[in-house]
Amino acid sequence: MPKISVIIPILNEEKYISKCLDSIIESDFDKSDMEVLLVDGGSKDKTLEIIKEYQKKYPFFKLLHNPKKIVPTAMNIGIKAAKGEYIIRLDAHSSYPKDYFSKLIFWHDKLNADNVGGVVITEVKNKTLTSNAIKNVLSDKLGVGSAFRSGVSEIKEVDTVPFGCYKKEVFDKIGLYDERLVRNQDIELNKRLKRAGGKIYLVPEIKCTYYARETYKDLAKNNFNNGLWNILTAYYTGTLSSLSFRHFVPMLFVLSLIVFGIGAFFSQVSRIVFFIILLSYLSIISIRSFQIKKNTTFFHQLLAFLVLHFSYGIGSIVGIFRVIKSIMKN
């Protein structure tokens, strides 16, 4: 009987899956105490070929099929199939240090936690001016706001962590992942755990590396969907408690520009407010771009902020219209 069941939702991950699996193989955790459940949503690239090659040598890699393709369904399939005492959720876009699993289990037991996670170090596979700017913005509080990406200095009780480590029995108490949520499923699950009295800890000495999108187009697409699913998550769950205020700041910013931008055609006051908001924002991200730019240019860094914030905000606004449309249908 394995001690840990590692669950990795996957779909078309040929660029990243080898690095992820190699890091698991190099882990110092006893492989006889481990099973790795790779839950595939119907990959059309070489992901499955790569995994099957690994399976020939490492039988603890097990391949499962996810007919619905989405992450929460993959996690639920994995949890139901899991035989381990602990469930550890990983991401195929990441790689993990040798002591990753052993530290998760150590701190889970030491803190008497219900969920433990670590800090995510953002990296890119191909270093260009654009990808480095994206890496920088996704590691900065002005870009993402979350402590697990920007880092903490000491163990901290939090509302959510990435790639959590849970006792399997937790899911008997609070239920499985909400399969209506294409995004934010981890946040919603962890908020449910907190409401049930659970303790979630972010441990800074536990670290993993996440490989970010490398083009502005991919950054925009990813964050548009993040913003969209903030609104849809609130709608499907019937509460805003699954999310934090920071999740809605880009939407409020973009909405304010739209409202006062339209008003500027009719009102001097609206015109002034519009320019104050826009110039204040541009000043803030310009200063921050100078401060954090590393291996990139100021203009690449500035554009990374613009793409991230506007795509996120526009996604949330589209989400509002989708909710309104759904309500009107019903």
Side-chain angles (χ1 to χ4, degrees):
M1 184 77 71
K3 185 169 185 177
I4 65 171
S5 294
V6 179
I7 303 174
I8 312 177
I10 52 174
L11 178 64
N12 297 326
E13 296 288 358
E14 66 177 8
K15 294 180 181 178
Y16 299 94
I17 193 63
S18 291
K19 189 174 285 289
C20 176
L21 299 186
D22 285 341
S23 70
I24 294 172
I25 292 166
E26 293 167 6
S27 167
D28 62 11
F29 202 85
D30 188 341
K31 303 305 183 293
S32 64
D33 278 338
M34 173 195 301
E35 64 175 355
V36 180
L37 307 177
L38 297 145
V39 191
D40 179 68
S43 294
K44 301 299 183 184
D45 61 4
K46 295 181 180 179
T47 300
L48 297 182
E49 294 175 36
I50 294 169
I51 291 171
K52 287 173 183 176
E53 285 300 312
Y54 276 87
Q55 284 182 302
K56 292 176 182 178
K57 191 173 180 180
Y58 303 102
F60 54 84
F61 289 127
K62 299 176 182 179
L63 190 58
L64 303 176
H65 178 58
N66 171 19
K68 293 185 180 179
K69 299 182 180 295
I70 59 176
V71 169
T73 303
M75 287 304 302
N76 289 342
I77 290 170
I79 291 166
K80 290 173 185 176
K83 298 176 182 176
E85 179 185 357
Y86 293 87
I87 300 289
I88 299 175
R89 183 253 202 270
L90 295 190
D91 189 285
H93 261 248
S94 302
S95 62
Y96 307 87
K98 291 182 179 182
D99 59 1
Y100 188 75
F101 300 132
S102 54
K103 280 188 175 179
L104 281 175
I105 301 304
F106 172 80
W107 283 108
H108 197 293
D109 293 345
K110 185 176 178 64
L111 296 169
N112 193 27
D114 295 284
N115 183 16
V116 166
V119 174
V120 174
I121 299 169
T122 303
E123 192 51 87
V124 288
K125 284 189 71 177
N126 303 295
K127 298 183 187 301
T128 65
L129 295 177
T130 297
S131 66
N132 285 331
I134 291 170
K135 169 190 168 181
N136 295 340
V137 81
L138 292 179
S139 305
D140 189 69
K141 284 186 178 180
L142 186 59
V144 293
S146 52
F148 62 77
R149 282 193 183 274
S150 54
V152 292
S153 57
E154 57 186 19
I155 295 172
K156 183 178 180 182
E157 188 173 349
V158 292
D159 289 335
T160 191
V161 290
F163 319 145
C165 172
Y166 310 81
K167 281 280 187 75
K168 189 179 180 184
E169 62 197 38
V170 162
F171 299 99
D172 296 327
K173 296 176 184 176
I174 67 169
L176 298 172
Y177 281 79
D178 189 333
E179 296 190 16
R180 296 173 299 176
L181 306 182
V182 174
R183 302 284 176 104
N184 295 329
Q185 62 279 148
D186 289 302
I187 294 174
E188 188 279 330
L189 180 80
N190 285 318
K191 285 293 180 80
R192 218 184 318 148
L193 177 57
K194 292 283 284 187
R195 288 196 295 270
K199 299 287 187 180
I200 304 172
Y201 292 96
L202 179 63
V203 181
E205 74 171 62
I206 301 173
K207 294 179 172 67
C208 69
T209 301
Y210 173 80
Y211 295 96
R213 275 75 182 170
E214 297 184 355
T215 67
Y216 293 126
K217 179 181 177 182
D218 287 343
L219 178 68
K221 181 179 178 181
N222 186 59
N223 283 280
F224 174 89
N225 284 320
N226 286 339
L228 172 71
W229 276 95
N230 284 344
I231 302 302
L232 297 183
T233 297
Y235 174 62
Y236 287 133
T237 60
T239 177
L240 292 173
S241 65
S242 294
L243 299 165
S244 303
F245 177 71
R246 67 178 176 82
H247 290 102
F248 301 101
V249 170
M251 177 189 72
L252 296 174
F253 165 65
V254 175
L255 273 176
S256 69
L257 286 179
I258 293 172
V259 170
F260 289 106
I262 293 172
F265 289 99
F266 309 99
S267 164
Q268 177 71 14
V269 173
S270 292
R271 212 159 28 244
I272 292 170
V273 173
F274 172 81
F275 282 110
I276 287 173
I277 294 172
L278 182 59
L279 291 175
S280 297
Y281 169 72
L282 290 175
S283 296
I284 291 169
I285 64 169
S286 294
I287 292 169
R288 196 62 184 148
S289 293
F290 271 119
Q291 291 173 336
I292 71 169
K293 68 181 179 68
K294 185 178 179 182
N295 300 319
T296 188
T297 70
F298 166 75
F299 293 104
H300 281 85
Q301 194 61 70
L302 188 70
L303 186 55
F305 273 115
L306 289 167
V307 170
L308 174 68
H309 292 151
F310 276 91
S311 61
Y312 202 115
I314 292 168
S316 294
I317 293 169
V318 171
I320 291 174
F321 282 106
R322 285 199 188 178
V323 168
I324 293 170
K325 184 177 178 182
S326 179
I327 292 172
M328 289 179 66
K329 277 186 177 180
N330 297 330

